[in-house]
Amino acid sequence: MTEEETPVEVWERITEADIRVLRIPTPFQVGRVNTYLLEGDPLTLVDSGPNSGKALDELERQLEALGHGIEDLELVIITHQHIDHLGLVDIVAKRSGAEVAAIDLLVPFVENFGDDAARDDEEAAALMHRHGISDEVVTALRQVTGSFRAWGSKAKVTRPLHDGEKLELGGRTLEVQHRPGHSPSDTVFWDEQRRILLAADHLIKHISSNPLISRPLDGSGERTQALVTYLESLKKTRELPAEIVLSGHGEPITDHVDLIDKRFAMHQRRAEKLYGLIAEQPRTGHELAQAIWGDVAVTQAFLTLSEVIGHVDLLVNAGHVREVDDGDVLRYEATSEEPPEELGDLIPGA
Ligand SMILES: [Zn+2]
């Protein structure tokens, strides 16, 4: 694709590829979620929107405008575990009899959605406490996450997908590629022939995808380095000769290499900024979040903590910062008395 291609031309190419976007409302700050209808046999829906009457009405209305009903759907693909993407899958699958596809490691999570809620909450609370968030704030946040869960739903996955598998969907081949980071289950779908990548929240044009700390899907207790994992995934996506990237929110991306390079630079800068704060004095994750975001670090405590921990992981891995455990709370401190002039490349290979 040339740089000069206009948005209208880009949309023409998407339409020619028999892909339609349905923008489904969500109650979340991110706004509408993009679900994609892949016309052909089987008639396929990629993601579904959150579990709400309003989202279902919109999905139905937008499908109708394209000449389809929910009953016509034959396959629903889940891109990742977040509720704005998978909440309606069960209702859609039950009404249509559609197959439900998701990457293999996500299957137990979807089929048992919500069953581990108490354990998830407890682990998140323990993590927040450990990083210096007050018990008052932790309690308040637990009520919010609890009410959010209603926007998700269990669903039966009838077609587990495997990393590297090629899905043949009525004249198109989509390669399944696991790209964890934003969530542990992020899956992108690569149409090599048309050079179109269905990327969901792995790459979004107008916002950087938050690598949220979440429990590993394999049941191990170890915290994964979400941002480090995410950056590794971005490197792989950067190598794809994609001409159009279709995201889970916002507009199509036509310059993904440039966008990914900007993301790398942003994460490097953010880690450097955190290093500056840590070099001044040892701080907890929450104190770092407050130093950067002020009150938002309280109202969005888990999100901002995820951001901080992700970037401090880069500093710890590079040997600039270490964790100091006082038995209750974890603090970060610089490893050298004299802060280095240059931190060097914190994202190796980027
Ligand atoms: Zn997401």
Side-chain angles (χ1 to χ4, degrees), residues 41-338:
D41 182 20
L43 187 65
T44 301
L45 186 68
V46 180
D47 285 338
S48 68
N51 183 10
S52 81
K54 193 175 171 196
L56 182 60
D57 286 349
E58 280 274 342
L59 180 65
E60 216 164 8
R61 206 177 53 73
Q62 294 184 38
L63 279 171
E64 242 161 58
L66 296 166
H68 301 288
I70 285 180
E71 295 70 23
D72 303 336
L73 292 168
E74 294 164 299
L75 175 66
V76 182
I77 297 176
I78 303 173
T79 61
H80 69 298
Q81 65 203 75
H82 290 157
I83 50 184
D84 48 338
H85 296 259
L86 63 71
L88 279 178
V89 168
D90 188 50
I91 290 175
V92 168
K94 281 191 176 138
R95 272 181 54 181
S96 61
E99 297 253 18
V100 175
I103 196 149
D104 41 19
L105 74 156
L106 181 59
V107 175
F109 180 94
V110 175
E111 297 197 334
N112 306 313
F113 182 85
D115 286 355
D116 288 336
R119 188 177 145 200
D120 281 344
D121 282 355
E122 253 150 52
E123 285 180 10
L127 183 87
M128 289 193 277
H129 178 85
R130 192 136 173 75
H131 287 277
I133 297 177
S134 76
D135 293 342
E136 222 179 350
V137 171
V138 171
T139 309
L141 282 171
R142 282 178 81 154
Q143 283 158 5
V144 178
T145 39
S147 66
F148 270 13
R149 269 197 197 91
W151 302 93
S153 170
K154 289 183 194 197
K156 177 95 187 97
V157 178
T158 57
R159 189 161 172 190
L161 305 174
H162 310 288
D163 187 26
E165 174 181 349
K166 286 185 175 155
L167 270 176
E168 301 292 340
L169 300 178
R172 86 180 85 218
T173 305
L174 294 180
E175 190 179 322
V176 177
Q177 298 188 353
H178 184 213
R179 289 281 193 277
H182 165 69
S183 82
S185 55
D186 296 331
T187 313
V188 302
F189 297 87
W190 172 227
D191 184 337
E192 188 177 21
Q193 196 197 339
R194 295 176 182 81
R195 307 217 162 189
I196 294 178
L197 182 73
L198 290 158
D201 292 2
H202 170 62
L203 190 63
I204 299 172
K205 189 172 186 170
H206 64 292
I207 40 174
S208 68
S209 302
N210 302 303
L212 282 174
I213 294 174
S214 50
R215 197 149 55 75
L217 292 168
D218 63 8
S220 70
E222 280 292 290
R223 171 176 81 77
T224 51
Q225 294 195 335
L227 181 61
V228 171
T229 305
Y230 178 61
L231 295 169
E232 288 303 317
S233 289
L234 275 186
K235 283 179 210 165
K236 290 187 190 160
T237 299
R238 193 183 181 281
E239 297 305 311
L240 291 178
E243 293 176 355
I244 298 176
V245 176
L246 297 171
S247 305
H249 305 273
E251 294 303 308
I253 297 160
T254 53
D255 51 356
H256 74 296
V257 171
D258 188 49
L259 184 64
I260 289 170
D261 286 343
K262 281 183 184 143
R263 295 285 187 262
F264 286 149
M266 181 275 282
H267 290 300
Q268 168 86 22
R269 279 197 310 274
R270 185 158 284 176
E272 285 171 354
K273 186 171 176 185
L274 283 163
Y275 180 78
L277 292 164
I278 294 166
E280 275 172 27
Q281 62 181 88
R283 297 179 205 244
T284 65
H286 184 54
E287 284 164 354
L288 288 166
Q290 278 185 307
I292 293 182
W293 291 287
D295 284 347
V296 178
V298 178
T299 54
Q300 305 261 28
F302 194 73
L303 193 72
T304 54
L305 188 60
S306 288
E307 279 280 326
V308 166
I309 293 173
H311 290 88
V312 174
D313 282 340
L314 296 175
L315 296 165
V316 171
N317 294 352
H320 297 301
V321 166
R322 66 176 155 242
E323 295 178 346
V324 184
D325 189 345
D326 73 2
D328 183 34
V329 170
L330 210 62
R331 285 188 173 73
Y332 297 114
E333 69 176 26
T335 50
S336 83
E337 303 257 312
E338 282 289 301

